[in-house]
Amino acid sequence: MNSLILDNKFNCSVENLFKWHKNELAIERLTPPWDNIKIVRKETQTDSYINSGKVLLNQQVFPFVNLKWEIKHKNYSENKSFDDFAIKSPFRSWYHKHLFDSIDSNTSKLTDDMSFDLWLNNESIAKYIKSRIIKSFKYRYKILAFDLSLQNSINHFNEYILVTGGTGNIGKHLIPHLNSIGYKVILLKYDNKANNEYIGNNVFGNSELITLPWNPYNDKTIRFPEEIAKKINHVINLSGETILGLWTKEKMKTIQNSRLVPTRSLFNLIDSNNIKLISSIHSSAIGIYGSSSDSIISEDSLPGTGFLAETTKNWEIEQNKFKRFSERNINLRIGAVLLYNGGFLKPLLIPNILRIGVSFNNHENYLSWIGIEDLTRIVSFTLRSSTLNGPVNAVAPNPLTNNEFFKVLNNKFKTKFTVNFPVFLPKLVSKELTKEIIMANQRVFPCKLTDSHFKYFSNNLSDTLDNTFGF
């Protein structure tokens, strides 16, 4: 039997620490990106699955290799402990005790006491698994400490946030964070068959997280019950087809429509329900600046030219109509998002795992990027800020040249050699895609976030990749 005990102190009462673990999306929030776990189903007969409930998980460890977990909870004791053990897992056995202790009224300690048996009793394998568990739990403790600090300092427990596009790459990280810090979320989930009605058999979840089927291409508008509508204080609009992929005429039309139509539909929904907002936050893109030779691009820089720039300009025109209902309206101009299993790094993941580096011959062009955890925190920060308004560049404070970026990336993956693709190759497939994404030069700085004293989770690309891929 292999055993491992880890612990961490938190600046909150033991009651708040324990209560946090009862959140509906606690597992989703705590799980590091590199563990690559998908929640299949949660089952419980109580107010939380940690009280005698069961969780079914899928974990992808390699491309096309999935491991199934079935976790059961027991020995629940309010503000003291709960245990989980594996009915089905990659291990012969797995047992995890969660122990909560009060140090004083504002300080508590969480102890994770874990034991496991391997199918193959090998000391080197056991040592490696322990090292990966330690890395994951260090990440978990950082996430938990941050979210608890916000939960204790903000009074927003009666506020609802209306979210669109919440099942995409950004939403999958953001919604668990919002749930974690106490916001109630209404998720408008895209469904091309939805009749846009707020009725019993259409509404899923509980008072903390409501999921409602929504078809923005349907002329009919959802009408919320008055008691719900008056509690909706914020909107987060994440709708939009990914710009990655082959830019056919159909793809480019979908990129445009998937941004403009849902934003207009959401506007009509807010208008029809007479909702008054504290903030409306919309995902936009640094693509609005086009490819620029300017040394610094700030929120005050002028829009550029090209398909992405024109599309984003038109998108923000629709977004800015929300000023009619909202005290603050934010156009979140997002850079290249670093994700474990998505975003612009996804096509490079398998080559990098095989130790093959990839780059293009545009070494001196700048790439403005952002890690997914920092992007999650930026959205949360804009919710809480009373001053952020208008365009906000959601990028890391240190844009890198392509040469600098891929050098760090290749070093992290310990690639044996690098394949440099000449520029003319992607141009044969799509001139627009090559010019506006692959060959774009965008040295964008988050001036408003810096002036607002936003604190980044990861201070540089190396740390961001560590917190994404678990190096």
Side-chain angles (χ1 to χ4, degrees):
M1 179 72 72
N2 300 280
S3 61
L4 182 62
I5 299 176
L6 303 171
D7 62 65
N8 198 73
K9 292 181 181 178
F10 298 92
N11 296 323
C12 68
S13 68
V14 70
E15 291 82 9
N16 280 352
L17 178 60
F18 190 89
K19 182 181 178 182
W20 187 96
H21 285 79
K22 297 170 71 173
N23 284 329
E24 178 71 21
L25 301 178
I27 296 178
E28 289 89 336
R29 178 59 180 149
L30 284 179
T31 301
W34 65 84
D35 280 348
N36 208 13
I37 287 175
K38 179 182 179 181
I39 309 297
V40 178
R41 188 168 70 253
K42 297 173 186 172
E43 301 173 358
T44 183
Q45 300 297 320
T46 65
D47 63 339
S48 173
Y49 59 86
I50 68 171
N51 185 1
S52 305
K54 187 165 65 174
V55 181
L56 281 71
L57 314 169
N58 274 347
Q59 182 178 23
Q60 188 178 62
V61 291
F62 294 108
F64 314 113
V65 178
N66 289 291
L67 303 177
K68 296 184 182 298
W69 290 74
E70 189 172 334
I71 303 294
K72 187 79 170 66
H73 293 79
K74 68 175 186 177
N75 296 337
Y76 177 93
S77 179
E78 188 81 13
N79 299 328
K80 293 181 179 179
S81 65
F82 66 90
D83 300 349
D84 67 65
F85 64 96
I87 301 173
K88 179 188 296 183
S89 80
F91 299 102
R92 184 186 293 272
S93 67
W94 167 270
Y95 201 97
H96 181 185
K97 297 179 181 179
H98 308 251
L99 307 172
F100 299 78
D101 293 296
S102 177
I103 297 175
D104 57 44
S105 60
N106 295 312
T107 314
S108 53
K109 184 174 79 169
L110 171 62
T111 301
D112 291 284
D113 185 346
M114 293 160 280
S115 58
F116 61 90
D117 264 339
L118 303 174
W119 293 103
L120 179 63
N121 194 12
N122 181 282
E123 185 176 343
S124 297
I125 296 176
K127 184 178 179 180
Y128 172 76
I129 290 174
K130 284 184 179 181
S131 71
R132 300 305 296 174
I133 293 173
I134 291 171
K135 183 176 289 290
S136 290
F137 272 79
K138 284 183 178 179
Y139 178 91
R140 288 165 63 118
Y141 292 150
K142 290 178 184 178
I143 295 297
L144 182 52
F146 176 73
D147 285 10
L148 283 168
S149 71
L150 298 183
Q151 192 181 70
N152 293 336
S153 62
I154 304 169
N155 181 21
H156 51 223
F157 294 99
N158 289 318
E159 294 184 3
Y160 275 95
I161 303 176
L162 191 63
V163 180
T164 69
T167 58
N169 285 325
I170 298 173
K172 288 176 183 176
H173 289 82
L174 175 63
I175 290 177
H177 169 61
L178 297 176
N179 173 252
S180 164
I181 62 177
Y183 284 108
K184 298 177 180 179
V185 175
I186 300 176
L187 172 61
L188 298 183
K189 185 177 181 180
Y190 175 73
D191 182 346
N192 61 7
K193 297 181 181 178
N195 55 10
N196 289 355
E197 292 183 357
Y198 192 99
I199 55 178
N201 62 346
N202 266 356
V203 182
F204 303 94
N206 52 44
S207 61
E208 303 300 317
L209 179 61
I210 298 171
T211 300
L212 187 63
W214 179 55
N215 182 6
Y217 299 90
N218 187 330
D219 291 337
K220 187 175 182 179
T221 299
I222 295 173
R223 298 304 298 266
F224 287 104
E226 186 177 351
E227 64 273 17
I228 296 291
K230 67 182 181 182
K231 292 180 180 179
I232 298 174
N233 293 334
H234 307 274
V235 160
I236 299 176
N237 176 20
L238 303 175
S239 295
E241 168 82 7
T242 178
I243 61 173
L244 300 177
L246 181 60
W247 280 15
T248 62
K249 289 184 179 180
E250 184 177 352
K251 171 72 173 180
M252 294 168 74
K253 184 177 180 180
T254 301
I255 289 173
Q256 292 174 321
N257 289 342
S258 65
R259 285 157 172 73
L260 301 178
V261 175
T263 302
R264 290 167 183 157
S265 180
L266 182 61
F267 176 89
N268 292 333
L269 185 154
I270 299 298
D271 187 21
S272 298
N273 285 274
N274 196 30
I275 295 172
K276 304 301 179 185
L277 299 169
I278 296 173
S279 69
S280 50
I281 301 170
H282 310 267
S283 61
S284 183
I286 61 172
I288 195 170
Y289 301 117
S291 185
S292 172
S293 59
D294 291 346
S295 57
I296 292 178
I297 298 175
S298 73
E299 287 88 351
D300 293 328
S301 298
L302 295 175
T305 59
F307 170 74
L308 282 183
E310 291 299 324
T311 298
T312 309
K313 279 190 290 185
N314 292 332
W315 195 14
E316 289 195 1
I317 288 172
E318 297 299 326
Q319 295 172 359
N320 289 338
K321 293 177 181 179
F322 283 71
K323 293 177 182 178
R324 174 179 157 191
F325 317 113
S326 187
E327 296 175 18
R328 294 183 299 114
N329 187 72
I330 295 99
N331 318 104
L332 211 57
R333 293 174 176 173
I334 301 170
V337 184
L338 306 188
L339 296 154
Y340 179 84
N341 198 21
F344 86 105
L345 288 182
K346 186 175 182 179
L348 307 179
L349 184 57
I350 292 179
N352 279 315
I353 290 174
L354 297 174
R355 305 290 178 89
I356 302 172
V358 177
S359 68
F360 293 93
N361 290 334
N362 56 338
H363 301 307
E364 299 308 312
N365 285 2
Y366 276 89
L367 176 64
S368 295
W369 53 276
I370 186 69
I372 186 60
E373 175 60 25
D374 274 316
L375 180 55
T376 295
R377 296 186 183 200
I378 288 170
V379 177
S380 171
F381 184 76
T382 58
L383 275 174
R384 306 190 311 274
S385 170
S386 60
T387 57
L388 278 176
N389 206 356
V392 174
N393 290 336
V395 294
N398 46 350
L400 299 173
T401 64
N402 280 329
N403 188 49
E404 293 168 333
F405 184 93
F406 283 102
K407 183 177 180 180
V408 175
L409 182 67
N410 292 336
N411 285 339
K412 285 293 181 180
F413 278 99
K414 299 179 181 178
T415 55
K416 300 298 184 183
F417 61 92
T418 300
V419 178
N420 286 302
F421 286 95
V423 175
F424 75 84
L425 282 180
K427 280 186 177 180
L428 296 176
V429 179
S430 173
K431 291 182 180 179
E432 295 90 348
L433 177 67
T434 303
K435 180 181 178 181
E436 299 191 41
I437 297 182
I438 298 174
M439 295 301 298
N441 185 27
Q442 296 183 313
R443 195 180 183 192
V444 183
F445 286 84
C447 298
K448 286 188 177 180
L449 289 174
T450 301
D451 291 345
S452 300
H453 306 291
F454 172 77
K455 293 182 179 180
Y456 285 83
F457 178 58
S458 303
N459 294 317
N460 52 60
L461 177 59
S462 179
D463 289 345
T464 300
L465 293 173
D466 286 345
N467 289 321
T468 304
F469 294 94
F471 292 118

